mmCIF file of all heavy atoms in Angstrom:
data_model
loop_
_atom_site.group_PDB
_atom_site.id
_atom_site.type_symbol
_atom_site.label_atom_id
_atom_site.label_comp_id
_atom_site.label_asym_id
_atom_site.label_seq_id
_atom_site.Cartn_x
_atom_site.Cartn_y
_atom_site.Cartn_z
ATOM 1 N N ALA A 238 -30.851 -3.659 -16.343
ATOM 2 C CA ALA A 238 -29.897 -4.729 -16.104
ATOM 3 C C ALA A 238 -30.610 -5.833 -15.325
ATOM 4 O O ALA A 238 -31.546 -5.557 -14.556
ATOM 5 C CB ALA A 238 -28.696 -4.207 -15.314
ATOM 6 N N PRO A 239 -30.215 -7.090 -15.500
ATOM 7 C CA PRO A 239 -30.954 -8.195 -14.862
ATOM 8 C C PRO A 239 -31.125 -8.043 -13.359
ATOM 9 O O PRO A 239 -32.186 -8.375 -12.813
ATOM 10 C CB PRO A 239 -30.097 -9.427 -15.211
ATOM 11 C CG PRO A 239 -29.405 -9.057 -16.481
ATOM 12 C CD PRO A 239 -29.128 -7.582 -16.376
ATOM 13 N N GLU A 240 -30.108 -7.522 -12.661
ATOM 14 C CA GLU A 240 -30.209 -7.441 -11.197
ATOM 15 C C GLU A 240 -31.245 -6.424 -10.736
ATOM 16 O O GLU A 240 -31.717 -6.486 -9.598
ATOM 17 C CB GLU A 240 -28.848 -7.115 -10.585
ATOM 18 C CG GLU A 240 -28.321 -5.717 -10.862
ATOM 19 C CD GLU A 240 -27.468 -5.612 -12.108
ATOM 20 O OE1 GLU A 240 -27.535 -6.525 -12.959
ATOM 21 O OE2 GLU A 240 -26.726 -4.612 -12.233
ATOM 22 N N ASN A 241 -31.622 -5.472 -11.597
ATOM 23 C CA ASN A 241 -32.635 -4.488 -11.199
ATOM 24 C C ASN A 241 -33.969 -5.144 -10.881
ATOM 25 O O ASN A 241 -34.754 -4.624 -10.075
ATOM 26 C CB ASN A 241 -32.870 -3.470 -12.315
ATOM 27 C CG ASN A 241 -31.691 -2.549 -12.546
ATOM 28 O OD1 ASN A 241 -30.636 -2.704 -11.954
ATOM 29 N ND2 ASN A 241 -31.869 -1.588 -13.425
ATOM 30 N N LEU A 242 -34.272 -6.260 -11.553
ATOM 31 C CA LEU A 242 -35.565 -6.919 -11.408
ATOM 32 C C LEU A 242 -35.478 -8.187 -10.565
ATOM 33 O O LEU A 242 -36.463 -8.914 -10.435
ATOM 34 C CB LEU A 242 -36.138 -7.255 -12.793
ATOM 35 C CG LEU A 242 -36.307 -6.060 -13.738
ATOM 36 C CD1 LEU A 242 -36.810 -6.528 -15.091
ATOM 37 C CD2 LEU A 242 -37.261 -5.032 -13.139
ATOM 38 N N ASP A 243 -34.317 -8.430 -9.986
ATOM 39 C CA ASP A 243 -34.113 -9.608 -9.140
ATOM 40 C C ASP A 243 -34.434 -9.243 -7.694
ATOM 41 O O ASP A 243 -33.816 -8.340 -7.119
ATOM 42 C CB ASP A 243 -32.666 -10.084 -9.259
ATOM 43 C CG ASP A 243 -32.409 -11.414 -8.571
ATOM 44 O OD1 ASP A 243 -33.114 -11.737 -7.595
ATOM 45 O OD2 ASP A 243 -31.495 -12.131 -9.006
ATOM 46 N N GLU A 244 -35.403 -9.927 -7.111
ATOM 47 C CA GLU A 244 -35.821 -9.605 -5.751
ATOM 48 C C GLU A 244 -34.684 -9.749 -4.742
ATOM 49 O O GLU A 244 -34.705 -9.128 -3.677
ATOM 50 C CB GLU A 244 -36.994 -10.497 -5.338
ATOM 51 C CG GLU A 244 -38.275 -10.229 -6.116
ATOM 52 C CD GLU A 244 -39.424 -11.095 -5.651
ATOM 53 O OE1 GLU A 244 -39.209 -11.912 -4.731
ATOM 54 O OE2 GLU A 244 -40.528 -10.961 -6.200
ATOM 55 N N LYS A 245 -33.675 -10.550 -5.062
ATOM 56 C CA LYS A 245 -32.574 -10.773 -4.128
ATOM 57 C C LYS A 245 -31.533 -9.662 -4.188
ATOM 58 O O LYS A 245 -30.772 -9.482 -3.238
ATOM 59 C CB LYS A 245 -31.895 -12.113 -4.437
ATOM 60 C CG LYS A 245 -32.803 -13.332 -4.231
ATOM 61 C CD LYS A 245 -32.067 -14.615 -4.578
ATOM 62 C CE LYS A 245 -32.974 -15.825 -4.392
ATOM 63 N NZ LYS A 245 -32.264 -17.099 -4.763
ATOM 64 N N THR A 246 -31.474 -8.932 -5.296
ATOM 65 C CA THR A 246 -30.428 -7.915 -5.453
ATOM 66 C C THR A 246 -30.964 -6.492 -5.526
ATOM 67 O O THR A 246 -30.239 -5.547 -5.198
ATOM 68 C CB THR A 246 -29.597 -8.194 -6.722
ATOM 69 O OG1 THR A 246 -30.474 -8.282 -7.853
ATOM 70 C CG2 THR A 246 -28.823 -9.499 -6.587
ATOM 71 N N ALA A 247 -32.198 -6.304 -5.960
ATOM 72 C CA ALA A 247 -32.764 -4.955 -6.071
ATOM 73 C C ALA A 247 -33.255 -4.481 -4.709
ATOM 74 O O ALA A 247 -33.904 -5.231 -3.978
ATOM 75 C CB ALA A 247 -33.910 -4.937 -7.068
ATOM 76 N N ILE A 248 -32.957 -3.238 -4.381
ATOM 77 C CA ILE A 248 -33.401 -2.714 -3.091
ATOM 78 C C ILE A 248 -34.913 -2.538 -3.058
ATOM 79 O O ILE A 248 -35.538 -2.646 -2.008
ATOM 80 C CB ILE A 248 -32.693 -1.382 -2.756
ATOM 81 C CG1 ILE A 248 -33.021 -0.945 -1.322
ATOM 82 C CG2 ILE A 248 -33.057 -0.284 -3.743
ATOM 83 C CD1 ILE A 248 -32.241 0.243 -0.844
ATOM 84 N N HIS A 249 -35.524 -2.302 -4.220
ATOM 85 C CA HIS A 249 -36.965 -2.118 -4.286
ATOM 86 C C HIS A 249 -37.424 -2.411 -5.707
ATOM 87 O O HIS A 249 -36.675 -2.228 -6.659
ATOM 88 C CB HIS A 249 -37.346 -0.687 -3.882
ATOM 89 C CG HIS A 249 -38.784 -0.533 -3.500
ATOM 90 N ND1 HIS A 249 -39.714 -0.004 -4.356
ATOM 91 C CD2 HIS A 249 -39.455 -0.857 -2.372
ATOM 92 C CE1 HIS A 249 -40.895 0.004 -3.755
ATOM 93 N NE2 HIS A 249 -40.768 -0.511 -2.561
ATOM 94 N N ALA A 250 -38.663 -2.861 -5.828
ATOM 95 C CA ALA A 250 -39.208 -3.240 -7.134
ATOM 96 C C ALA A 250 -39.315 -2.037 -8.061
ATOM 97 O O ALA A 250 -39.749 -0.957 -7.650
ATOM 98 C CB ALA A 250 -40.575 -3.886 -6.959
ATOM 99 N N SER A 251 -38.930 -2.230 -9.320
ATOM 100 C CA SER A 251 -39.027 -1.173 -10.331
ATOM 101 C C SER A 251 -40.268 -1.380 -11.193
ATOM 102 O O SER A 251 -40.644 -2.516 -11.494
ATOM 103 C CB SER A 251 -37.792 -1.174 -11.234
ATOM 104 O OG SER A 251 -36.641 -0.777 -10.525
ATOM 105 N N HIS A 252 -40.899 -0.272 -11.572
ATOM 106 C CA HIS A 252 -42.054 -0.280 -12.468
ATOM 107 C C HIS A 252 -41.847 0.799 -13.524
ATOM 108 O O HIS A 252 -41.109 1.762 -13.315
ATOM 109 C CB HIS A 252 -43.356 0.002 -11.701
ATOM 110 C CG HIS A 252 -43.697 -1.035 -10.680
ATOM 111 N ND1 HIS A 252 -43.084 -1.098 -9.446
ATOM 112 C CD2 HIS A 252 -44.597 -2.060 -10.702
ATOM 113 C CE1 HIS A 252 -43.588 -2.108 -8.749
ATOM 114 N NE2 HIS A 252 -44.494 -2.699 -9.493
ATOM 115 N N TRP A 253 -42.548 0.638 -14.641
ATOM 116 C CA TRP A 253 -42.459 1.646 -15.700
ATOM 117 C C TRP A 253 -43.432 2.785 -15.450
ATOM 118 O O TRP A 253 -44.612 2.562 -15.186
ATOM 119 C CB TRP A 253 -42.785 1.031 -17.061
ATOM 120 C CG TRP A 253 -41.819 -0.006 -17.519
ATOM 121 C CD1 TRP A 253 -42.060 -1.333 -17.692
ATOM 122 C CD2 TRP A 253 -40.450 0.194 -17.866
ATOM 123 N NE1 TRP A 253 -40.933 -1.980 -18.122
ATOM 124 C CE2 TRP A 253 -39.924 -1.056 -18.250
ATOM 125 C CE3 TRP A 253 -39.613 1.322 -17.913
ATOM 126 C CZ2 TRP A 253 -38.603 -1.222 -18.651
ATOM 127 C CZ3 TRP A 253 -38.304 1.162 -18.305
ATOM 128 C CH2 TRP A 253 -37.801 -0.094 -18.670
ATOM 129 N N PHE A 254 -42.930 3.998 -15.550
ATOM 130 C CA PHE A 254 -43.789 5.166 -15.692
ATOM 131 C C PHE A 254 -43.689 5.568 -17.154
ATOM 132 O O PHE A 254 -42.600 5.906 -17.645
ATOM 133 C CB PHE A 254 -43.335 6.316 -14.797
ATOM 134 C CG PHE A 254 -44.165 7.555 -14.984
ATOM 135 C CD1 PHE A 254 -45.358 7.711 -14.299
ATOM 136 C CD2 PHE A 254 -43.771 8.548 -15.876
ATOM 137 C CE1 PHE A 254 -46.142 8.850 -14.501
ATOM 138 C CE2 PHE A 254 -44.548 9.675 -16.075
ATOM 139 C CZ PHE A 254 -45.737 9.824 -15.382
ATOM 140 N N VAL A 255 -44.809 5.515 -17.883
ATOM 141 C CA VAL A 255 -44.751 5.782 -19.324
ATOM 142 C C VAL A 255 -46.008 6.501 -19.776
ATOM 143 O O VAL A 255 -47.127 6.126 -19.409
ATOM 144 C CB VAL A 255 -44.550 4.466 -20.126
ATOM 145 C CG1 VAL A 255 -45.601 3.420 -19.760
ATOM 146 C CG2 VAL A 255 -44.566 4.723 -21.625
ATOM 147 N N ARG A 256 -45.816 7.546 -20.561
ATOM 148 C CA ARG A 256 -46.920 8.257 -21.198
ATOM 149 C C ARG A 256 -46.542 8.592 -22.634
ATOM 150 O O ARG A 256 -45.397 8.968 -22.909
ATOM 151 C CB ARG A 256 -47.255 9.555 -20.458
ATOM 152 C CG ARG A 256 -47.987 9.363 -19.139
ATOM 153 C CD ARG A 256 -48.276 10.686 -18.465
ATOM 154 N NE ARG A 256 -49.053 10.498 -17.237
ATOM 155 C CZ ARG A 256 -49.066 11.341 -16.218
ATOM 156 N NH1 ARG A 256 -48.335 12.443 -16.274
ATOM 157 N NH2 ARG A 256 -49.807 11.096 -15.151
#
Side-chain angles (χ1 to χ4, degrees):
E240 69 269 18
N241 291 5
L242 303 177
D243 188 332
E244 293 182 359
K245 296 179 181 179
T246 55
I248 188 172
H249 199 259
S251 292
H252 297 78
W253 295 114
F254 177 85
V255 53
R256 286 180 176 155

